[in-house]
């Protein structure tokens, strides 16, 4: 039987909330045995050119990607877009508007943190921002660790940056329809990121997947660092039942901050149709 190449179709550079520059990320991927890599920064595509150039030098196959933040049914859902055209203007404009929302949210987060006695978090978070157009909760988390309000990034989320905690600001991201229209305008394949992470009942998940498909969605991540082995199975079944392509990605953010390194994941089950089946 033919060996499956090592696909990693979800990771972040410092163009969003990852720690490595796009070229560094690509070098690490090669070192970790990845053969086909997609860079999928949050709501941002400005790291793709650098990553693609480095991949070309090293003989790594590179896929242009993005991870789009959307709001659906009162929660935030991430949709990865694979094989997008970074030059598409509707995609560029759509992502630009989502990034603008992030900038506004960051100001409100800082005001919230100030109210509980944490001053200077806006400047503090921006000290960890490489791309001034893309700020996120992870940058605030790194600031909170630096100032010893918490011991690590995970605790920063637990104590400050999630719903119900000071520092959490509810935010309206793109609608499902708009988010998918940006990806599709750029010719990309929309894939639900880490489906096991959302606080949805089975019924709600099926309702979401129905609407996702209706709006042009085509795939779901089955193998991701966010899933337990039980969830690998659960989402493999769901992918087959609902007729979705299956994807595999580490969601790597950086050494020391991610449990799973680039490309270090189990393979997709053989009976699934991989998102790369016709690449
Ligand atoms: P944002 O898109 O700015 O709201 O931030 C979402 C990002 O925060 C995710 O992509 C993760 O990188 C990070 N994140 C969310 N929840 C956690 C958590 N519990 N522990 C560590 N990082 C998290
Ligand atoms: Mn992230
Ligand atoms: Mn995500
Ligand atoms: Mn991600």
């Amino acid at each position: 039987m033919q060996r499956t190449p090592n696909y990693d179709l979800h990771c972040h550079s410092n163009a969003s909330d990852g720690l490595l520059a796009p070229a560094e990320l690509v070098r690490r991927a090669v070192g970790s045995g990845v053969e086909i890599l997609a860079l999928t920064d949050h709501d941002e595509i400005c790291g793709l050119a650098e990553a693609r150039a480095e991949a070309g030098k090293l003989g790594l196959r590179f896929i242009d990607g993005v991870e789009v933040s959307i709001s659906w049914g009162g929660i935030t859902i991430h949709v990865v877009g694979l094989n997008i055209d970074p030059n598409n203007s509707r995609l560029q404009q759509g992502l630009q508007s989502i990034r603008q929302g992030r900038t506004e949210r960051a100001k409100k987060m800082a005001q919230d943190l100030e109210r509980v006695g944490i001053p200077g978090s806006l400047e503090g978070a921006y000290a960890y921002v490489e791309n001034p157009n893309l700020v996120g909760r992870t940058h605030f988390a790194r600031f909170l660790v630096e100032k010893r309000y918490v011991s690590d990034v995970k605790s920063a989320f637990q104590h400050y940056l999630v719903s119900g905690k000071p520092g959490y600001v509810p935010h309206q991201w793109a609608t499902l329809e708009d988010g998918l229209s940006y990806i599709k305008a750029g010719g990309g394949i929309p894939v639900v990121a880490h489906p096991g992470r959302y606080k949805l009942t089975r019924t709600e998940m099926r309702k979401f997947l129905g609407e996702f498909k209706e709006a042009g969605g085509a795939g779901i991540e089955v193998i991701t660092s966010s899933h337990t082995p039980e969830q690998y199975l659960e989402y493999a079944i769901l992918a087959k039942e609902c007729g979705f392509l299956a994807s595999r990605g580490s969601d790597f953010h950086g050494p020391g901050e991610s449990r799973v390194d680039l490309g270090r994941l189990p393979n997709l089950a053989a009976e699934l149709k991989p998102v790369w089946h016709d690449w």
Side-chain angles (χ1 to χ4, degrees):
M1 220 171 70
Q2 219 184 337
R3 185 187 68 91
T4 311
N6 191 338
Y7 285 83
D8 191 333
L9 303 179
H10 186 157
C11 67
H12 298 270
S13 75
N14 63 10
S16 67
D17 61 357
L19 290 171
L20 304 179
E24 290 176 312
L25 187 77
V26 164
R27 288 196 287 274
R28 188 183 182 93
V30 171
S32 304
V34 173
E35 294 167 277
I36 301 94
L37 180 76
L39 173 61
T40 56
D41 277 311
H42 298 285
D43 311 313
E44 180 58 284
I45 52 180
C46 74
L48 296 176
E50 180 185 316
R52 177 171 283 287
E54 187 68 13
K57 284 187 210 156
L58 301 177
L60 175 79
R61 251 193 89 188
F62 185 73
I63 304 294
D64 290 306
V66 66
E67 182 174 15
V68 179
S69 312
I70 68 161
S71 294
W72 182 88
I75 65 164
T76 299
I77 290 184
H78 288 170
V79 178
V80 164
L82 296 174
N83 250 331
I84 50 163
D85 171 12
N87 296 315
N88 180 271
S89 63
R90 175 156 170 78
L91 172 66
Q92 290 173 350
Q93 282 159 18
L95 297 179
Q96 154 84 22
S97 72
I98 303 178
R99 292 195 297 271
Q100 221 147 22
R102 287 181 166 277
T103 305
E104 297 307 313
R105 179 186 66 156
K107 292 177 196 155
K108 293 182 199 153
M109 286 174 64
Q111 286 164 4
D112 244 37
L113 288 168
E114 181 116 37
R115 269 181 227 121
V116 295
I118 300 180
S121 69
L122 191 63
E123 299 71 23
Y126 271 96
Y128 290 93
V129 166
E130 197 62 35
N131 165 12
N133 300 316
L134 197 293
V135 58
R137 282 185 291 161
T138 310
H139 303 114
F140 281 84
R142 290 176 189 144
F143 161 80
L144 291 168
V145 175
E146 176 199 318
K147 296 293 180 206
R148 297 175 185 263
Y149 292 105
V150 287
S151 57
D152 54 25
V153 164
K154 198 176 153 70
S155 328
F157 275 89
Q158 271 168 10
H159 296 288
Y160 292 101
L161 302 171
V162 294
S163 179
K165 304 289 177 180
Y168 180 78
V169 174
H171 188 70
Q172 202 54 46
W173 301 101
T175 62
L176 176 63
E177 289 71 22
D178 283 348
L180 262 61
S181 76
Y182 306 153
I183 294 172
K184 287 187 299 170
I189 308 174
V191 175
V192 181
H194 41 65
R197 281 239 303 254
Y198 308 118
K199 292 198 174 76
L200 296 175
T201 62
R202 278 192 80 82
T203 316
E204 288 165 339
M205 175 55 77
R206 280 172 186 276
K207 180 165 190 282
F208 168 71
L209 291 177
E211 290 184 27
F212 174 73
K213 198 167 195 178
E214 187 73 18
I220 64 172
E221 287 183 347
V222 172
I223 303 291
T224 147
S225 61
S226 299
H227 285 176
T228 62
E230 291 74 32
Q231 287 174 319
Y232 295 155
L233 199 62
E234 181 183 345
Y235 288 96
I237 292 169
L238 209 51
K240 276 181 75 169
E241 274 183 19
C242 304
F244 283 119
L245 301 170
S247 191
R248 173 184 193 260
S250 61
D251 205 0
F252 180 78
H253 280 70
E257 276 192 19
S258 295
R259 275 179 302 114
V260 172
D261 212 322
L262 292 159
R264 301 288 164 88
L265 295 160
N267 280 323
L268 280 181
E271 73 267 21
L272 295 173
K273 190 169 189 182
V275 66
W276 57 79
H277 72 103
D278 61 352
W279 290 0

